[in-house]
Amino acid sequence: MRIMNILITGCNGQLGNELQLLEKNHPGHTWINTDVQELDITNQLAVDDFVARNKIDGIVNCAAYTAVDKAESEREQATTLNTVAPAYLAAAVGRRGGWMIQISTDYVFNGTKHLPYVETDTPCPESVYGSTKLAGELGAQKFCKNTMIIRTAWLYSSFGNNFVKTMIRLGKEKSELGVIFDQVGTPTYARDLAHAIMTAIEKGVRPGIYHFSNEGVISWYDFAKAIHRLAGINDCKVRPLHTSEYPTPAHRPPYSVLDKSKIKQAYAIDIPYWEDSLAECIKLLG
């Protein structure tokens, strides 16, 4: 096994924290975990210097501007973090002949399809978040030929802020909740994604676009009901809402199920069913 210096950006986020938990199982490599305090990835000179000085062989870019609705009015900030920064990272590691794993999103699609999205489907984002993430994919691939794009969806974890934690909190505070039922996709437990990333690193990063989420298909309403059931919350009624009843600044894809066949075949991985992973996460939350 080749020993590498691997840079993790956005280490304080959901995925970054999950990767840090798994690093101890891969002790051969030198893992360099950074967030904005240690490395400003929007500063090209800082990125170039950091990558060269630390002899970085690979980068897993978990950093992103993820406030989907705020991005509609903060396009510049979203573009800087989601589009410009990945290009800086890719160029710096590309010059060293290294590799990069860029995390992307189901929001690169408009959600009008009715079969799971495959990697060759033409992206058509309808939000600032989606369009800046798509541009980030293109920039990373342009500046580092050994770039692996992993698109994921509905990410949650025991770390950070996410839908699972919000539903548990609101379920304990309120007697009734309304949740969208006409947006369909698949949740992703960040720990499962972290395992897939580690497998890719150990078996060798293969350039190209890959999709990853847990198995199965549900609506946000079904997801909320399952969260309450598994968390033992029985006193909060969850009502199904149409998207039109809960308008948001950003357009969200009504159907964003991802086909995971490519990554499963490429790395011989089994992906857990969404409800099994949700139960595991809720157990950790206590």
Side-chain angles (χ1 to χ4, degrees):
M1 182 187 75
R2 183 180 162 226
I3 303 302
M4 294 180 283
N5 297 327
I6 301 171
L7 168 63
I8 309 290
T9 63
C11 74
N12 293 334
Q14 297 185 87
L15 182 56
N17 269 297
E18 296 289 2
L19 283 167
Q20 288 184 76
L21 288 182
L22 300 183
E23 287 169 6
K24 61 182 181 295
N25 301 327
H26 303 266
H29 306 303
T30 299
W31 301 94
I32 302 170
N33 300 296
T34 67
D35 216 291
V36 66
Q37 295 82 2
E38 295 81 26
L39 174 63
D40 178 4
I41 62 171
T42 68
N43 181 327
Q44 187 174 13
L45 290 176
V47 168
D48 290 347
D49 175 67
F50 192 95
V51 169
R53 191 162 31 88
N54 290 282
K55 298 182 170 63
I56 299 299
D57 299 299
I59 297 174
V60 183
N61 182 26
C62 304
Y65 183 107
T66 57
V68 175
D69 288 321
K70 271 175 84 175
E72 295 296 311
S73 57
E74 296 186 355
R75 180 182 286 269
E76 190 178 336
Q77 293 95 313
T79 301
T80 301
L81 202 48
N82 292 346
T83 303
V84 178
Y88 290 163
L89 291 165
V93 79
R95 279 194 292 273
R96 291 185 44 80
W99 52 263
M100 177 155 156
I101 296 177
Q102 169 69 13
I103 308 303
S104 193
T105 174
D106 58 323
Y107 280 61
V108 301
F109 299 114
N110 62 10
T112 57
K113 198 182 173 189
H114 299 291
L115 288 171
Y117 280 95
V118 293
E119 291 81 357
T120 51
D121 283 329
T122 303
C124 185
E126 291 192 348
S127 64
V128 169
Y129 172 67
S131 58
T132 58
K133 290 295 285 181
L134 177 60
E137 292 184 9
L138 298 171
Q141 290 176 306
K142 177 182 177 182
F143 291 107
C144 177
K145 61 181 174 57
N146 295 319
T147 290
M148 179 182 189
I149 306 290
I150 304 180
R151 293 176 181 149
T152 191
W154 298 23
L155 199 68
Y156 70 91
S157 163
S158 58
F159 299 101
N161 298 313
N162 52 65
F163 185 79
V164 173
K165 286 186 171 181
T166 299
M167 287 301 106
I168 290 174
R169 176 176 57 79
L170 292 177
K172 290 175 179 176
E173 292 173 0
K174 297 180 177 293
S175 59
E176 189 172 295
L177 276 178
V179 181
I180 304 294
F181 83 93
D182 56 359
Q183 292 174 20
V184 176
T186 312
T188 306
Y189 183 26
R191 187 161 304 180
D192 293 334
L193 176 54
H195 276 292
I197 290 168
M198 287 299 189
T199 300
I201 291 170
E202 293 306 333
K203 293 189 175 182
V205 170
R206 302 176 194 178
I209 298 172
Y210 298 81
H211 289 170
F212 186 96
S213 65
N214 282 112
E215 298 285 21
V217 180
I218 53 167
S219 71
W220 288 106
Y221 168 74
D222 296 309
F223 193 22
K225 292 284 285 184
I227 292 164
H228 283 189
R229 186 177 75 252
L230 291 167
I233 296 170
N234 305 310
D235 298 328
C236 178
K237 183 183 180 188
V238 181
R239 290 183 298 104
L241 292 181
H242 287 90
T243 298
S244 58
E245 295 177 82
Y246 192 77
T248 56
H251 174 272
R252 285 160 167 76
Y255 183 91
S256 64
V257 181
L258 301 174
D259 187 304
K260 280 82 71 173
S261 303
K262 183 178 177 182
I263 199 167
K264 287 192 284 189
Q265 289 163 5
Y267 291 103
I269 57 172
D270 290 320
I271 300 178
Y273 179 56
W274 70 267
E275 193 168 348
D276 296 336
S277 291
L278 177 61
E280 186 185 317
C281 181
I282 287 177
K283 206 174 288 181
L284 284 175
L285 290 170

